Structures are given as C-alpha cells and as structure tokens.
C-alpha cells in the first residue's frame, strides 16, 4: 500500500492526492492524519497523509522522506470536513485542514520554562520593613513556579525586587514544564445550577430527547428574548450530553467570550472545559487542544475556530448568538462556523442548537413554515421581569430646537435621574476614537489613510489612526493641503462621548469598554467586573457593551446614534441594526428595578428601529423577508462574491472584467452584479473591485465561480492581481 498525500502548498492547481511509497523504516508509523515530508519537484515539502491505496504504478513512486510528528494530527471527521470545505468554499483542501490543526503546528510539545519557588525557610522571613518583598512573598506562596516576569507583574513590583530576593536566597529558580492552563488564575468554584423555569424545561427536554435518539443530525433554533436564560438551557444540555458519554462544543462570538462566560462554564464543569480564543498564547492553545484530543476535556468553549476542535465524539454543538457576523471568517478559508457546524453534525450524528434573541433570517426561515429546524422559544425573561420600555428620540427635532450636542435633552435627563438614584447606565456607540472625520474647513480636504481609502480617526492620544491598517500619524495643527489653521474634528467616537459625559456629569464614575481600552490582557475582565461591582456609574462602549452583559444594576441603556449601521451599503444593514439595537436594549432592566432604553436616531420611522422599540422580532422578520424576496437576496437566493485586489487600479479593473466574461462564458443560470469598485475601494495599498453572483441554487454558483477562477489562472495575465471567492458572503464591503 502507498500513502496518499496532500502537499501543503495551498494552491488550487496541486489540490489533489499524490502517491508516495512508505519506506520500511516508517512502516506502521505513518497513519492517516500523519504529517510527513515528501519530495515534490526539486524540493521537499510538508504534506498530510489522507489515506492508503494500491498505487497505479508503484515503480515510479518516491519515498516519504520523514515523519514529522508522533501521532496523527487530525481525526477522520476533520478530514471529511476539510474535504467538504474545499469543495463548498472553493479553497485548497490543505488550507481547510491547516485551519483545523494550526494550534498543533505552532508549538512543539510541552514547553519548559524557568520558574521560581519559595526557598525552604525554617521561619517566615520578616518583611515588615519591605512591603514590596512582602507582596512578592505572598504571591509566590499562593502560586509557586511563576517566572521572574510573571511574579513581578502579579506582585506589582519591578523584576529587580524579585532578583534581589533570589540573591538573598529567599527564592530559588528551577526548570519546570509549563502547564499553560489559560484558566489557572481563575477560582474554581463549583456553582449549583438554578431551578429551570417552565419554558427552559421544555427546551432542555426537547434537546435531551434528540440526544437520546439514534440516527441523524437534529437542529434546534432556540429563540429566546434577552435575559430569558438561554445560557442555562445550554448548560443543562451540555451536562446531559456529558452524562451520555458524548462531548459538546459551545461556540460564542469572540466578543462574547468574556471572562464571565468562562467563569460560568468552569464553575459548572470544572477542568472538563477547554477554552479556545484568540488571546491565548500558542502554548496555551496547544495544551488545550491536547486536553481535548486525549479526552481529558469533554467540552470546548470557544469562538469561531473552536468548531474545528478535535473531539472524538461530538454529540452536541451549540452556537450562541448564531446571527453574529463574527462567525464568518473574512480570510481564506472563508467559512461560516454555523455552516460548518451543521455539516459536522451531519457526519457525527450530533444535535445542533442555534441560539439567539434575534436569529438570522437564514436560520429563522428554516425553523418556521415546515423548515428543517425545530423551533424552541423562550418568550419571557427569567423571574417574570418585563422587557425594558424603549423610547425613541428624534434627533432631527432635537437639532431644530437648537441642541447640537451629542446627547438629547431626554437622554441627559434620564442619565441624571439614574445617577441620582445610584443606578447604572450603559451608553452605546459603535465607533471608537474621538472624532471619526477630520476635515479642513477652508479647502475641504479630508484626512485619509495613505494606504486605504478610509478617513482617519482622531484619538485623544493626539494621533490620527486608520482603523483598517492601523497606520497612525500625529494630528497636524495645520491643514496639510492648504496650510489653514481651521481644521475641524467631526463625527464622534466613544472617547468623545466619554469626554462629554465627564463634562456634563463631573461626579459620575465612568468606564469605557472598546478595543482601545482592552488591549492589555485581563483589562476586559477588570472593566466589566468593576462595573458589575458598582464601582462605576456609567459604562460607555462599542459592540462590546451590546452583547452578553448580565448586570442587574443597569436600568438605562442609551443608544447614541442608531443610524450608523443603518445606512451601510450592504443588504443586511437593516437586519444588523435591528439585531444590534435589540441586543443592546436587552442589557437594561435585568434586575428588580426594571429598566428603560433611549434610542437616538434620525430615522425614528425605519422598521428596523420601530421593531426593535417594540421587541417585535416577528414583525421585523416579515418586513425584511418581504423586501429580500422582492430584491432577490438571501435567504431567497444564494450569493457568491469575487473580490479582485491589486496595487494597480487599471489591472484590477481589467481582471474584474475578465472574470465577468468568464462567468458569462460558463453559460450557467447565474445573475451577475458588477464588476464594480467595492464600497471600500482601497485597503492597505490594494485597490478593490468585486463581482457578485446570484443564483437560486448553490451548485450553479460554485460552477460559475470555478469556471471564472480556472479561466483566470489559465490566462497567465494579471499576475499581480489576486482573486478571492467568498461563498455566502456576510460582508459586501
Ligand atoms: N431558571 C433560572 N432561575 C433563576 N435565574 C436564572 C434561571 N435561568 C437563568 N437565570 C439567570 O438569569 C440571567 C439571564 O440569563 P442569561 O444571561 O442566560 O440570558 P440570555 O437569554 O442568554 O440573555 P441574552 O440573550 O440577553 O444574553 C442570568 O443571570 C442567569 O444566571
Ligand atoms: Zn489604512
């Protein structure tokens, strides 16, 4: 038998199986899932063994040159999934495969580090005169084995204090295997589950019924209003899966993978939970992966890519906030975790639970009117708490009546009222920075990123920043175009909101939560914990404050401007706005005192806004579906997007035209929109054009896209232009 190998070159042209002879020295060691080194052309490349077969012409075969790891790197389910992804998303198989196993590729084995231990003293040293050493001593007693830097950081002292203690013989240094448990700092307190309420019981028992059934995949859509206790349903379902010897996956959007969420899971399932998210170090991720592979951990809690976790027997797959755009990966392989989850569940015969207060139209239409999903509903909040009342503030009128500020009078009054009652406020604005538009009042020049066609955002640090490529420059005092002193800072971000709040309410304690304030590891937790503990009155933030937060003290949520997402050039703009408003509104009134929401908007009559105001999901669903049907957009049709990028605009445009011709020539029934410049016309020095293909079936769409790509790579022209395919795109920008 000979090994079938996929070479790790990630090119469409070599995305096929190559045969190699397994030399006797490696016989029995090379398995399906092994990573090997093979001769390919004139060099040696990495490859993955995907099977064994009798080769057509054994004499011609070259030998596998080396085996790179001890065990296999992927499971049969993962291989099947990678092959399906390659066919579905039109990406090279190895690209999909590598997306699944990359945590294993980053690191080799357990990591050894030097750690510090308290020296064995006969008596406790006297630190009364040395508070810094005392702090270090206290930390090292509780957490022996920390590195010099970790120890100094944890004790809040300079590493030199630690060095001095080593020199005095108080600490000794030794090598140890680093455990890299991302949750080791967290208290492991077991929390008893609450008694479920009626609707929760119904939902959980339906899911358990499905877990007990033999046979194929079953899909549930858990539609539960904000604060209805969906998380508790997930936790019970996971416990039931574990009790049946099955493993479970819990996916949440990256932004919702908060320390609080991790605490809840660790509190319920202890070390059975492995956590995967983007802030882990490579080593931590590797170790969590190993714990899943060996079965030590039976539950994976993670963001999008956790769908690829190496579970032997996934029995339950949950996606919380299933409507979230962050489930889509915006680089190759451009997969959607929900789509992959549904496929994986098909292979594994698993139960899928998609949960949301605002399900995507794609999912909801499968759960009503004879669709393939089962609908589970939680229509009321836990403890019979009412949903908050929502008021709209018409910003047009506010302006007519002479108020040019960020806050309407209504919102100011509402904030003042909450502050006087010592209740808490969340203010939401989906833009970070101070001003989002810097423009010269004399010549009209807008300051843009030199690499992107994006206006720069002014930050309180005094710098202008590009939010796409992170380019930054000191804000000029004169217009770089005409030298005028009249440079205006328009458009507001969260920093400006913070400044205004501090001016209007100087005694209020204010926190801000956006990607500028959570840069440091642990900062996110500190801010949220501090707000939860009542150490601040007002929390200002971007999307980060809109999701998942469950803080009973919050009785007012203010939306600074509902229109930002409403007028994006994207057919999902209304859906996104409705979802965002409903989610952020849902943070209010989760305690005994009830709560209200104020939404400031220039579009108080838009159905996305009024339906959010009335907590009317069904109403929104009907309106939006009718519109999608008329315009021929998903879920009534299928889309694919071809994005063409390059440094020379003319080449990009020509390549886009060429692709359009190729799509026409394919002669399949697809509608072609474009080619046209993408709404973001240039990013990181690359011009961007796109074509959108629309069809009534996925199959023809892929046929057309494949024909275009094949034609493109066949011409050999436009070598400096890149084309990427996005099947079922989530962003049209
Ligand atoms: N049966 C129950 N009895 C008492 N408390 C409960 C029960 N179920 C859930 N809770 C509590 O109710 C609160 C809200 O639950 P949870 O955060 O799960 O709501 P949710 O539906 O996920 O809301 P959202 O979509 O807004 O995030 C939590 O503090 C949770 O611990
Ligand atoms: Zn830029």
């Amino acid at each position: 038998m000979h090994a079938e190998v996929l070479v790790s070159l990630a090119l469409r042209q070599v995305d096929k199986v190559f045969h190699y002879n397994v030399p006797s020295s490696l016989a029995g060691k090379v398995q399906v899932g092994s990573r090997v080194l093979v001769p390919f052309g004139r060099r040696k490349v990495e490859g993955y063994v995907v099977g064994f077969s009798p080769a057509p012409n054994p004499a011609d075969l070259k030998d596998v040159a080396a085996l790179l790891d001890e065990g296999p790197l992927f499971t049969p389910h993962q291989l099947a999934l990678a092959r399906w992804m390659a066919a579905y998303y039109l990406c090279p198989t190895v690209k999909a495969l590598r997306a699944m196993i990359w945590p294993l590729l980053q690191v080799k084995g357990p990591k050894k580090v030097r750690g510090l231990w308290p020296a064995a003293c006969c008596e406790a040293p006297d630190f009364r005169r040395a508070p810094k050493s005392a702090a270090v001593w206290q930390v090292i007693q509780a957490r022996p084995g920390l590195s010099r830097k970790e120890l100094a950081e944890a004790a809040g002292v300079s590493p030199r204090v630690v060095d001095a203690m080593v020199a005095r013989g108080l600490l000794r240094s030794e090598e140890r295997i680093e455990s890299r448990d991302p949750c080791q700092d967290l208290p492991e307190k077991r929390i008893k589950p609450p008694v479920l309420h009626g609707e929760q019981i119904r939902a959980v028992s339906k899911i358990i019924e499905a877990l007990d059934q033999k046979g194929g995949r079953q899909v549930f859509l858990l539609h539960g209003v904000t604060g209805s206790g969906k998380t508790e349903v997930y936790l019970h379902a996971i416990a039931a899966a574990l009790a049946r010897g099955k493993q479970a996956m819990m996916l949440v959007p990256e932004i919702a993978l908060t320390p609080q969420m991790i605490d809840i899971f660790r509190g319920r399932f202890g070390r059975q939970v492995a956590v995967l998210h983007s802030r882990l170090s490579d080593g931590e991720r590797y170790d969590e992966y190993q714990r899943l592979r060996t079965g030590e951990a039976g539950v994976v809690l993670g963001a999008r890519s956790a769908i690829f976790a190496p579970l032997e027997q996934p029995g339950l797959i949950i996606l919380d906030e299933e409507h979230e755009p962050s489930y889509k990966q915006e680089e190759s392989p451009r997969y959607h975790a929900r789509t992959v989850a549904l496929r994986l569940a098909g292979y594994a015969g698993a139960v899928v639970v998609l949960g949301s207060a605002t399900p995507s139209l794609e999912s909801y239409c499968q759960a009503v009117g004879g669709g393939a999903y089962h609908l589970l509903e939680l229509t009321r909040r836990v403890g019979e708490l009412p949903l908050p009342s929502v008021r709209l503030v018409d910003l047009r009128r506010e302006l007519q009546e002479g108020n040019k500020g960020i806050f309407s009078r209504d919102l100011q009054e509402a904030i003042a009222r909450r502050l006087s009652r010592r209740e808490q406020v969340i203010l939401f604005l989906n833009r970070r920075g101070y001003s989002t538009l810097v423009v010269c009042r004399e010549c009209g020049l807008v300051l843009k990123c030199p690499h992107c066609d994006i206006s720069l955002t002014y930050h309180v640090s005094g710098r202008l920043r590009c939010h796409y490529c992170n380019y930054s420059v000191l804000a000029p005092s004169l217009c770089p175009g005409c030298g005028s002193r009249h440079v205006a800072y328009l458009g507001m971000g969260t920093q400006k909101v913070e400044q205004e709040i501090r001016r209007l309410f100087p005694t209020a304690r204010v926190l801000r939560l956006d990607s500028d304030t959570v840069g440091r590891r642990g900062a996110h937790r500190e801010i949220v914990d501090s707000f939860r503990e009542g150490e601040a009155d007002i929390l200002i933030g971007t999307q980060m404050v809109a999701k998942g937060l469950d803080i009973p003290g919050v009785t007012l949520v203010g939306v600074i401007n509902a229109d930002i997402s409403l007028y994006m050039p994207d057919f999902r703009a209304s859906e996104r706005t409705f979802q965002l408003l409903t989610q952020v509104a849902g943070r209010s009134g989760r305690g005994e005192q009830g709560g209200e929401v104020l939404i400031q908007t220039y579009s108080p009559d838009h159905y996305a806004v009024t339906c959010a105001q009335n907590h009317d999901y069904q109403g929104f669903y009907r309106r939006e579906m009718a519109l999608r049907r008329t315009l021929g957009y998903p879920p009534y049709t299928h889309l694919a997007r071809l994005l063409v990028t390059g440094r020379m605009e003319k080449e990009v445009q020509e390549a886009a035209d060429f692709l359009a011709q190729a799509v026409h020539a394919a002669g399949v029934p697809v509608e072609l929109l474009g080619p046209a410049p993408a709404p973001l016309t240039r990013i990181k020095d690359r011009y961007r054009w796109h074509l959108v293909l629309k069809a009534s079936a996925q199959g023809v769409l892929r046929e057309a896209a494949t024909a275009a790509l094949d034609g493109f790579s066949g011409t050999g022209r436009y070598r400096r232009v890149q084309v990427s395919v996005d099947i079922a795109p989530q962003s049209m920008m």
Side-chain angles (χ1 to χ4, degrees):
M1 293 300 244
H2 304 277
E4 299 173 343
V5 174
L6 288 175
V7 293
S8 189
L9 290 176
L11 293 170
R12 280 165 49 79
Q13 296 86 317
V14 296
D15 189 11
K16 56 182 176 237
V17 160
F18 293 90
H19 293 264
Y20 289 89
N21 187 37
V22 179
S24 54
S25 60
L26 293 178
K29 292 188 193 152
V30 173
Q31 318 164 36
V32 173
S34 289
R35 181 165 56 143
V36 291
L37 206 60
V38 292
F40 194 77
R42 275 194 227 143
R43 47 191 184 137
K44 285 195 178 124
V45 298
E46 237 177 71
Y48 301 94
V49 177
V50 295
F52 292 95
S53 64
N57 209 347
D60 295 349
L61 292 188
K62 293 180 185 157
D63 279 0
V64 170
L67 178 64
L68 295 177
D69 314 87
E70 263 172 40
L73 292 188
F74 49 85
T75 65
H77 281 157
Q78 287 179 312
L79 176 58
L81 205 55
R83 288 196 147 137
W84 168 81
M85 277 175 71
Y88 187 89
Y89 290 112
L90 304 180
C91 68
T93 314
V94 286
K95 198 131 197 188
L97 211 45
R98 290 183 71 93
M100 295 181 191
I101 59 173
W102 69 269
L104 299 176
L105 304 177
Q106 308 298 312
V107 186
K108 278 219 156 290
K111 191 174 149 202
K112 287 202 177 137
V113 293
R114 290 203 84 76
L116 295 165
W117 272 262
C121 298
C122 28
E123 57 199 290
D126 181 1
F127 289 128
R128 265 173 302 178
R129 296 280 192 84
K132 287 183 182 167
S133 304
V136 172
W137 191 251
Q138 203 180 356
V139 172
I140 204 73
Q141 295 293 335
R143 292 160 62 193
L146 290 181
S147 73
R148 166 180 178 269
K149 225 176 114 202
E150 288 165 347
L151 177 55
E153 208 173 279
V157 301
S158 128
R160 264 169 300 169
V161 177
V162 176
D163 297 342
M165 290 174 73
V166 174
R168 282 176 58 198
L170 291 167
L171 301 176
R172 64 194 158 85
S173 164
E174 267 175 28
E175 199 157 75
R176 64 172 163 107
I177 289 182
E178 195 185 28
S179 73
R180 298 181 299 203
D181 175 355
C183 301
Q184 64 186 356
D185 301 352
L186 304 185
E188 194 176 306
K189 43 177 191 272
R190 287 281 178 152
I191 302 161
K192 248 184 75 191
V195 180
L196 297 183
H197 63 68
E199 288 183 328
Q200 285 174 320
I201 295 175
R202 232 185 79 79
V204 170
S205 55
K206 288 278 181 202
I207 297 168
I208 292 181
E209 238 172 70
L211 283 172
D212 283 334
Q213 254 168 44
K214 295 243 170 337
R217 174 192 91 174
Q218 292 208 46
V219 185
F220 293 93
L221 178 64
L222 177 64
H223 178 207
V225 298
T226 56
S228 56
K230 293 184 286 293
T231 315
E232 207 50 59
V233 172
Y234 306 145
L235 292 166
H236 275 77
I238 293 170
L242 291 175
R244 283 158 180 75
K246 299 179 176 186
Q247 297 163 320
M249 295 180 145
M250 172 82 199
L251 267 55
V252 299
E254 181 75 45
I255 217 166
L257 192 50
T258 56
Q260 286 72 30
M261 189 66 144
I262 297 172
D263 287 356
I264 291 173
F265 271 73
R266 296 279 289 198
R268 208 59 77 73
F269 303 113
R271 295 264 309 155
Q272 290 221 61
V273 183
V275 180
L276 296 173
H277 58 80
S278 64
R279 292 213 157 182
L280 298 184
S281 68
D282 289 346
E284 286 172 334
R285 194 176 290 111
Y286 179 92
D287 289 358
E288 290 294 83
Y289 230 69
Q290 292 297 4
R291 296 206 305 119
L292 288 163
R293 290 210 307 165
T294 57
E296 181 194 329
V299 181
V300 57
L301 169 64
R304 177 176 70 220
S305 64
I307 194 61
F308 300 134
L311 298 183
E312 208 59 52
Q313 199 48 258
L316 176 65
I317 307 174
I318 300 170
L319 270 83
D320 188 26
E321 315 278 8
E322 65 87 29
H323 63 278
E324 269 290 304
S326 69
Y327 279 125
K328 180 76 195 303
Q329 173 149 306
E330 294 296 353
E331 58 196 60
S332 179
R334 293 168 183 263
Y335 68 92
H336 197 297
R338 184 179 57 216
T339 313
V340 177
L342 292 168
R343 193 70 198 185
L344 174 62
Y347 292 135
V351 173
V352 179
V353 179
L354 307 173
S356 176
T358 50
S360 63
L361 300 191
E362 280 87 349
S363 294
Y364 198 75
C365 74
Q366 294 282 340
V368 292
Y373 302 173
H374 311 285
L375 182 63
L376 302 171
E377 290 185 293
L378 306 179
T379 57
R380 273 176 308 218
R381 279 189 161 179
V382 170
E384 302 295 314
L385 294 174
L387 285 164
S389 65
V390 183
R391 277 195 285 151
L392 303 183
V393 180
D394 187 342
L395 287 176
R396 295 169 306 186
R397 241 191 29 220
E398 203 65 23
L399 194 64
Q400 279 163 17
E401 292 168 14
N403 179 6
K404 290 186 196 153
I406 299 178
F407 303 107
S408 60
R409 289 156 300 174
D410 279 355
L411 184 52
Q412 279 184 51
E413 276 164 29
I415 295 172
R417 204 157 47 236
R418 304 295 154 174
L419 291 177
S420 72
R421 288 201 230 140
R422 311 217 127 268
E423 295 171 1
Q424 290 178 297
V425 179
I426 289 180
L427 297 176
F428 166 71
L429 177 65
N430 211 5
R431 280 200 176 145
R432 64 192 173 95
Y434 187 88
S435 25
T436 52
L437 187 65
V438 183
V439 53
C440 173
R441 281 191 198 278
E442 286 195 20
C443 73
L445 179 79
V446 171
L447 294 187
K448 286 191 173 180
C449 174
H451 308 288
C452 309
D453 191 24
I454 300 288
S455 53
L456 292 166
T457 297
Y458 176 75
H459 284 247
V460 282
S461 61
R463 295 188 81 82
L464 301 173
R465 223 168 250 297
C466 170
H467 286 182
Y468 277 85
C469 72
N470 222 19
Y471 164 87
S472 89
V473 60
L474 214 57
S477 49
L478 304 176
C479 168
C482 69
S484 158
R485 280 184 293 114
H486 302 289
V487 179
Y489 291 81
L490 310 175
M492 60 184 157
T494 45
Q495 290 179 342
K496 187 163 189 172
V497 174
E498 179 180 356
Q499 191 190 65
E500 269 301 288
I501 281 286
R502 288 187 190 279
R503 192 177 64 79
L504 291 169
F505 304 101
T507 59
R509 296 163 305 163
V510 182
L511 286 171
R512 180 158 57 83
L513 187 66
D514 56 31
S515 40
D516 296 319
T517 62
V518 300
R520 187 170 47 80
R521 190 168 163 153
H524 192 277
R525 165 186 284 269
E526 280 163 31
I527 294 170
V528 173
D529 279 354
S530 158
F531 188 60
R532 181 191 310 276
E533 297 299 319
E535 289 161 15
D537 308 301
I538 302 178
L539 178 69
I540 298 164
T542 52
Q543 293 202 55
M544 287 186 187
V545 302
K547 316 258 153 81
L549 292 187
D550 179 36
I551 301 178
V554 175
T555 58
L556 173 66
V557 164
V559 176
I560 306 296
N561 187 341
D563 307 335
I564 290 179
S565 52
L566 199 50
Y567 297 107
M568 294 277 214
D570 189 317
F571 72 91
R572 286 194 180 86
S574 301
E575 187 181 5
R576 294 265 154 79
T577 304
F578 172 76
Q579 289 165 343
L580 212 46
L581 292 178
T582 305
Q583 297 286 343
V584 69
R587 302 312 108 203
S588 183
R590 295 167 81 106
E592 297 291 312
Q593 311 100 302
E596 74 169 332
V597 180
L598 256 72
I599 299 179
Q600 304 194 131
T601 174
Y602 289 99
S603 321
D605 303 320
H606 194 288
Y607 63 98
V609 177
T610 56
C611 289
Q613 177 189 21
N614 299 321
H615 307 292
D616 184 10
Y617 179 83
Q618 260 76 17
F620 176 78
Y621 176 77
R622 280 192 302 272
R623 290 285 298 263
E624 186 65 16
M625 284 295 270
L627 212 62
R628 299 277 177 96
R629 182 198 286 271
T630 314
L631 299 175
Y633 275 119
Y636 290 101
T637 55
H638 298 275
L639 301 182
R641 181 186 191 217
L642 297 174
L643 180 66
V644 190
T645 67
R647 284 175 177 266
M648 309 291 289
E649 186 166 22
K650 190 159 167 285
E651 279 179 12
V652 171
Q653 184 181 351
E654 281 173 15
D657 286 337
F658 178 91
L659 286 165
Q661 296 296 333
V663 169
H664 283 304
V668 287
V670 298
E671 189 186 331
L672 177 63
L673 311 174
L680 298 174
T681 54
R682 188 168 55 106
I683 302 250
K684 295 186 192 172
D685 293 315
R686 300 184 73 88
Y687 289 89
R688 309 165 84 246
W689 278 61
H690 68 177
L691 301 81
V692 176
L693 314 184
K694 204 192 249 188
S696 55
Q698 284 278 2
V700 284
L701 212 52
R702 274 196 296 276
E703 221 178 294
T706 308
L709 289 181
D710 287 348
F712 188 78
S713 46
T715 61
R717 280 150 67 194
Y718 319 113
R719 281 178 189 282
R720 290 178 298 183
V721 170
Q722 256 180 25
V723 181
S724 62
V725 207
D726 194 352
I727 301 290
Q730 285 289 307
S731 164
M732 301 300 234
M733 302 298 284

